[in-house]
Amino acid sequence: MTDTVKDVTSGRNSRKVFIKTYGCQMNVYDSQRMGDALAQDGFEPTDQMDEADLVLINTCHIREKAAEKIYSELGRIRVLKSEREARGQTMQVGVTGCVAQAEGAEIIARAPVVDLVVGPQTYHRLPEALARVSRGDKVVDTDYAVEDKFDHLPRQDRRQIAARGVTAFLTVQEGCDKFCTFCVVPYTRGAEVSRPRGPILEEAQRLAAAGVRELTLLGQNVNAWSGEDAAGRPIGLAGLLEALASIPGIARLRYTTSHPRDMDDALIAAHRDLPALMPYLHLPVQSGSDRILKAMNRRHRAEDYLRLVDRIRGARPDLALSGDFIVGFPGESEADFEDTLALVRQVGYAQAYSFKYSPRPGTPGAALDDHVPEDVKSERLERLQALLRQQQLAFQTSFAGRDTDVLIEKPGRHAGQMVGRSPFLLPVVVPAAAGQVGDIVRVRIARSLPNSLMAEGAEALDAPMIEPHLRKIA
């Protein structure tokens, strides 16, 4: 679980908002959009919770510990709110995101400090909800149509975009129809809905005009995106990527998260033919056991996944793969787990995320028998992560002595250094003389660090600590 605090833009008065984000890139994007909506209502950002007039916790519901962590956070907020009230100040507290959608009014019943609960599709109604809170109401707003959210995305101005840097998230799809038995996304985010092509391109053009060089397209099942081109002909994600690549200033494109069943021929070909599409793909498989994949309702076999990987790598041989794995799904035997290890060895991952299964209320998996003991889950997870760490280290160290392109994103921690990303999403420390923020420069890698690469000319100083990129949720 990655915790991040996302800033919002300056408003028209002294009211301050603190937003804390848990979970995936979609939640980070949603936090930015909540900030944009609140800026229009006069809020300005703060990274100090105790000085905020409004505290919003944007939540993730993928795993049990994630949800429980929210209630621990609300306990701490209750103390801060009491302290502010003792000083004659007010603090409104809201819970947004997937836990809000799943638990609704139960959150207020369990944590009375909460004033409002807003689902992931209704944050554009935050100003209205806050007005009701100011009148003394407790507000739960989780009824939605996802199209309504797309229609009401706050428009960012050039200054807001520029403040967030040269990379940006762009939501193109919401929801999931796959109904994997372990997953709450279909219940918290709803059915798959694609954002229309026109508004996507308009937002991308605004981002590019403000200096954004790299776009990451977001969706719970992003490669299920479908729409129409300018002539009204049906297209999939590959056609959308092609249109985005033609926007002046946009040099790099990525997308996440994908389902193996929606990797069509056109999208595979795009990895071969579209230079702007970076050679990094997050393609979760979850297990290497056909028996467990069937129990998960993944609707593909391990062999199907492996053939797909071969086809993608045939189109783009240097493509780096990332994946998600769940260990200890109900009924998983040692043989099933060994099948997962075998798949990992065969694929070879540059990056992966692995977790112990945790039952989520309301999902079919929670009702299954033969749950795996926690100590067995822990032991298997340790073995899987050891293998994945070996692969990640091998991938990173393979860059020593090689040239790679780097999009410079920000100054480094030390004078004389800048930090950027390689096409493979690896952070790279480069000498400041290499270029400015927004430049794409070619450097030679001197050595690998635990979470980044060091380019030649930047080794004179210790490398800054680089935060691993945000966890992707299938």
Side-chain angles (χ1 to χ4, degrees):
M1 180 61 58
T2 300
D3 302 353
T4 56
V5 177
K6 304 306 294 180
D7 283 345
V8 296
T9 55
S10 296
R12 296 183 296 273
N13 61 27
S14 61
R15 288 187 298 171
K16 295 182 178 180
V17 59
F18 174 97
I19 304 178
K20 188 166 187 176
T21 306
Y22 291 87
C24 64
Q25 287 99 325
M26 183 64 82
N27 271 17
V28 174
Y29 181 91
D30 284 351
S31 287
Q32 291 176 350
R33 287 297 185 259
M34 283 189 282
D36 294 339
L38 289 167
Q40 296 176 8
D41 200 42
F43 281 90
E44 63 181 39
T46 178
D47 58 6
Q48 300 297 318
M49 186 187 294
D50 59 357
E51 67 177 26
D53 302 285
L54 171 63
V55 173
L56 295 176
I57 307 299
N58 193 14
T59 61
C60 174
H61 204 254
I62 294 297
R63 277 166 289 280
E64 181 178 10
K65 286 185 178 178
E68 288 304 314
K69 194 171 186 178
I70 303 306
Y71 289 104
S72 296
E73 185 75 46
L74 290 172
R76 292 188 289 271
I77 292 171
R78 179 179 57 81
V79 175
L80 285 177
K81 185 173 183 178
S82 296
E83 292 173 350
R84 280 183 63 89
E85 288 175 345
R87 299 194 299 267
Q89 301 169 320
T90 60
M91 175 185 281
Q92 296 173 331
V93 178
V95 176
T96 69
C98 292
V99 174
Q101 186 66 40
E103 301 192 11
E106 181 183 343
I107 295 173
I108 292 176
R110 185 171 170 181
V113 68
V114 175
D115 299 299
L116 70 157
V117 177
V118 178
Q121 317 303 339
T122 56
Y123 58 76
H124 57 277
R125 298 202 291 260
L126 267 172
E128 176 187 340
L130 289 169
R132 291 172 57 193
V133 169
S134 296
R135 295 193 295 267
D137 295 341
K138 293 278 189 175
V139 177
V140 177
D141 187 358
T142 56
D143 293 331
Y144 68 91
V146 71
E147 298 92 337
D148 187 52
K149 173 182 175 177
F150 289 149
D151 289 343
H152 291 87
L153 287 174
R155 185 185 180 98
Q156 304 171 85
D157 62 32
R158 193 182 185 108
R159 179 177 52 82
Q160 288 173 318
I161 296 169
R164 290 173 181 151
V166 296
T167 65
F169 295 135
L170 178 58
T171 188
V172 302
Q173 183 269 343
E174 279 272 5
C176 184
D177 294 341
K178 299 299 185 286
F179 287 92
C180 298
T181 57
F182 56 81
C183 187
V184 298
V185 166
Y187 312 103
T188 59
R189 293 278 183 172
E192 291 176 358
V193 178
S194 296
R195 187 180 179 190
R197 173 182 177 273
I200 292 172
L201 296 182
E202 289 172 6
E203 183 173 351
Q205 289 162 356
R206 290 197 301 273
L207 292 167
V212 169
R213 305 297 315 280
E214 176 178 301
L215 293 176
T216 298
L217 309 188
L218 296 181
Q220 275 75 41
N221 191 25
V222 69
N223 58 343
W225 184 90
S226 62
E228 295 181 344
D229 66 12
R233 295 168 297 198
I235 58 170
L237 186 63
L240 178 62
L241 287 164
E242 183 178 354
L244 289 166
S246 70
I247 295 174
I250 299 300
R252 289 181 168 187
L253 295 169
R254 307 182 190 273
Y255 61 91
T256 193
T257 291
S258 301
H259 195 288
R261 294 182 62 244
D262 290 315
M263 282 297 298
D264 61 20
D265 293 342
L267 188 53
I268 293 173
H271 280 279
R272 178 193 65 212
D273 300 334
L274 203 57
L277 184 54
M278 293 294 96
Y280 182 96
L281 175 63
H282 187 66
L283 191 66
V285 64
Q286 306 300 354
S287 174
S289 163
D290 288 344
R291 193 173 69 86
I292 297 302
L293 287 170
K294 183 176 181 180
M296 289 177 167
N297 195 37
R298 292 291 288 175
R299 290 182 282 179
H300 63 78
R301 299 170 300 165
E303 181 182 352
D304 300 327
Y305 182 86
L306 292 169
R307 282 203 303 264
L308 178 60
V309 168
D310 287 342
R311 290 178 59 209
I312 297 168
R313 284 180 166 159
R316 185 70 193 256
D318 65 339
L319 183 136
L321 273 173
S322 173
D324 289 343
F325 295 91
I326 294 174
V327 169
F329 190 79
E332 183 188 71
S333 67
E334 179 63 22
D336 294 321
F337 177 68
E338 288 291 343
D339 286 343
T340 297
L341 294 178
L343 182 143
V344 171
R345 294 187 186 100
Q346 186 165 343
V347 172
Y349 288 92
Q351 177 75 37
Y353 305 95
S354 51
F355 313 96
K356 293 187 291 185
Y357 172 73
S358 61
R360 306 311 300 127
T363 61
L368 293 176
D369 297 326
D370 199 15
H371 282 256
V372 178
E374 284 298 316
D375 60 338
V376 176
K377 290 183 191 178
S378 297
E379 188 272 337
R380 289 177 184 170
L381 182 64
E382 184 176 344
R383 287 157 58 194
L384 174 60
Q385 290 183 338
L387 175 58
L388 292 170
R389 282 195 299 270
Q390 289 175 7
Q391 293 188 347
Q392 183 177 356
L393 179 62
F395 177 71
Q396 289 189 197
T397 56
S398 72
F399 284 90
R402 292 167 52 188
D403 293 341
T404 190
D405 293 333
V406 177
L407 170 60
I408 300 178
E409 296 181 7
K410 60 185 178 181
R413 180 170 295 179
H414 299 289
Q417 291 181 341
M418 303 289 282
V419 177
R421 297 272 179 182
S422 79
F424 305 96
L425 208 56
L426 288 168
V428 183
V429 182
V430 303
Q436 300 177 346
V437 171
D439 290 343
I440 297 177
V441 300
R442 193 155 186 85
V443 299
R444 178 155 294 177
I445 301 302
R447 59 191 175 96
S448 172
L449 301 168
N451 291 314
S452 62
L453 302 174
M454 177 73 75
E456 288 184 356
E459 314 99 302
L461 297 170
D462 290 336
M465 295 297 293
I466 306 298
E467 292 293 331
H469 54 273
L470 287 167
R471 179 166 299 151
K472 303 171 182 65
I473 305 299

